[in-house]
Amino acid sequence: MKASSIWSMAVHGKMFRICNVVGQYRNILLNRHTSSLYQQNAGLKKSVEEKLGLPPKPKKPLTPYFRFMAQIRPAIVQKNPQAKLTDIAKLAGTEWGKADSSVREQLQAEYKREMVDYMAAQVKYNQKLTDEQHEEIKKAKIEIAELKERRLLKKKKKELGKPKRPLSAFLLFMTEKKDERGTQSFKDWQIQMQNEWEKLYEEQKSAYMARSRKLFEEYKREIQIWEEKMIRLGHIDVVRNEALIQPKRQGTSVSQRSRGSEE
DNA sequence: GCACTGTGTAACGATCATCT
DNA sequence: AGATGATCGTTACACAGTGC
């Protein structure tokens, strides 16, 4: 903890130098960056290194455009109090397009100066880490990238209207009983549901199972139609592998398609 | 070509446990 | 992976420029 706070102080010091911008926005900039760093240290946005319990790595200097945005943001917000974050970014982009070349050059020069410090800090930081720590960071980054990929694929499936898997017999039972929960804790209620499910008469259970089976039959039909449509549209990544392997019952076959892109 | 850099917030995800 | 729900944590969104 102590080591990390020393690191944190070092980063603070660097950022204050980074924020040493001349002109009328100097104070605003200083305040903004101070609070921003405070939030990061409070753990709102942790870097991979910090998540792994390693000292925080030096932050990249702000690019000229980000520096510019930080300067004009207060004015934009004041003029457009109800503007959303995304609106502000758009307005800032417009302003950047209209900005004087001397302003751009000055911001560019500041960026270059701070980049020198950053590079040195980065080298120092990397030297401080062991080979194992470097490897750990590398692995974590790959994992994060894979997670992101999975999340995006899930989002795509949703957007393309992938049919949802139907409820199992037990879930149908649980859904039906949800209004009877009252003030019981979620966990206790689940355990109670499990007990009640086990005590159900076979014919009662069978009724739920029959309903679930029927839903699954419908689902099978829906998913097949949907996957065939996805293949036609070229969205092979959202289709289960079986759908690519199994030849279709009628019409054009997809079996000759290459499966190279899939696992 | 993608991650990073800043911002605030809405939306989304993981978690807990249960079964199929 | 589907539902249940509260809670806490994380990410996408917009913008442009830079470096790996």
Side-chain angles (χ1 to χ4, degrees):
Chain A
M1 268 297 143
K2 245 182 186 169
S4 112
S5 62
I6 291 165
W7 270 86
S8 159
M9 280 166 68
V11 176
H12 269 272
K14 184 167 289 301
M15 286 306 289
F16 274 107
R17 266 179 283 131
I18 284 168
C19 298
N20 189 16
V21 176
V22 291
Q24 57 179 322
Y25 297 109
R26 187 175 180 276
N27 290 334
I28 295 167
L29 260 175
L30 279 169
N31 287 334
R32 288 203 83 81
H33 282 278
T34 307
S35 69
S36 151
L37 272 171
Y38 210 80
Q39 284 173 351
Q40 278 162 20
N41 286 339
L44 283 183
K45 252 196 178 178
K46 276 189 177 176
S47 66
V48 179
E49 289 79 6
E50 284 171 284
K51 281 178 189 167
L52 293 171
L54 302 170
K57 67 170 182 179
K59 291 188 92 65
K60 280 185 175 179
L62 296 187
T63 63
Y65 169 70
F66 265 64
R67 224 166 272 255
F68 174 81
M69 188 153 69
Q71 283 184 26
I72 64 163
R73 188 193 303 277
I76 293 177
V77 172
Q78 201 171 19
K79 267 191 181 175
N80 310 273
Q82 70 279 47
K84 283 186 222 160
L85 175 77
T86 48
D87 298 329
I88 292 164
K90 279 179 188 168
L91 289 166
T94 311
E95 290 301 317
W96 177 250
K98 292 190 281 185
D100 199 87
S101 63
S102 67
V103 172
R104 285 166 178 256
E105 279 163 22
Q106 191 195 326
L107 294 172
Q108 178 75 249
E110 283 163 13
Y111 173 76
K112 294 232 160 141
R113 268 202 303 278
E114 282 142 23
M115 197 63 191
V116 175
D117 283 347
Y118 167 74
M119 295 289 221
Q122 200 185 23
V123 169
K124 204 173 163 188
Y125 179 83
N126 284 332
Q127 283 172 347
K128 215 173 163 179
L129 295 179
T130 64
D131 288 348
E132 288 77 21
Q133 286 172 329
H134 278 297
E135 196 57 35
E136 207 183 341
I137 292 167
K138 201 176 160 188
K139 273 188 187 167
K141 284 191 174 174
I142 290 170
E143 215 168 286
I144 288 168
E146 285 170 351
L147 192 70
K148 188 178 180 180
E149 208 175 318
R150 283 201 296 273
R151 206 165 27 233
L152 287 175
L153 187 62
K154 196 175 175 184
K155 191 183 171 191
K156 186 178 176 184
K157 286 175 183 175
K158 197 179 173 185
E159 282 168 358
L160 290 170
K162 184 184 180 183
K164 274 194 173 186
R165 216 166 176 274
L167 302 188
S168 64
F170 175 72
L171 283 180
L172 284 173
F173 169 73
M174 199 162 85
T175 306
E176 226 174 64
K177 293 273 187 179
K178 67 172 176 169
D179 291 338
E180 296 169 27
R181 183 181 149 210
T183 55
Q184 204 174 12
S185 84
F186 188 53
K187 200 173 170 180
D188 288 344
W189 176 68
Q190 282 172 325
I191 291 163
Q192 190 194 319
M193 284 298 103
Q194 183 205 358
N195 289 334
E196 284 190 25
W197 174 252
E198 279 169 8
K199 282 181 199 155
L200 275 191
Y201 291 116
E202 275 312 310
E203 54 265 36
Q204 288 177 304
K205 266 192 190 176
S206 301
Y208 285 109
M209 284 171 177
R211 268 172 63 197
S212 181
R213 263 200 301 276
K214 200 179 167 197
L215 290 171
F216 263 96
E217 288 307 315
E218 283 172 28
Y219 168 73
K220 272 188 196 168
R221 282 194 293 275
E222 282 176 19
I223 195 84
Q224 175 151 15
I225 292 167
W226 182 80
E227 285 183 329
E228 284 172 6
K229 186 181 165 191
M230 290 304 113
I231 291 168
R232 277 200 306 278
L233 295 173
H235 298 302
I236 297 173
D237 53 343
V238 298
V239 171
R240 297 164 306 168
N241 286 346
E242 313 88 270
L244 290 166
I245 301 160
Q246 282 171 7
K248 293 202 291 182
R249 293 156 305 173
Q250 53 186 15
T252 54
S253 165
V254 293
S255 58
Q256 73 256 38
R257 278 180 187 272
S258 159
R259 298 192 53 253
S261 64
E262 294 294 319
E263 288 92 351

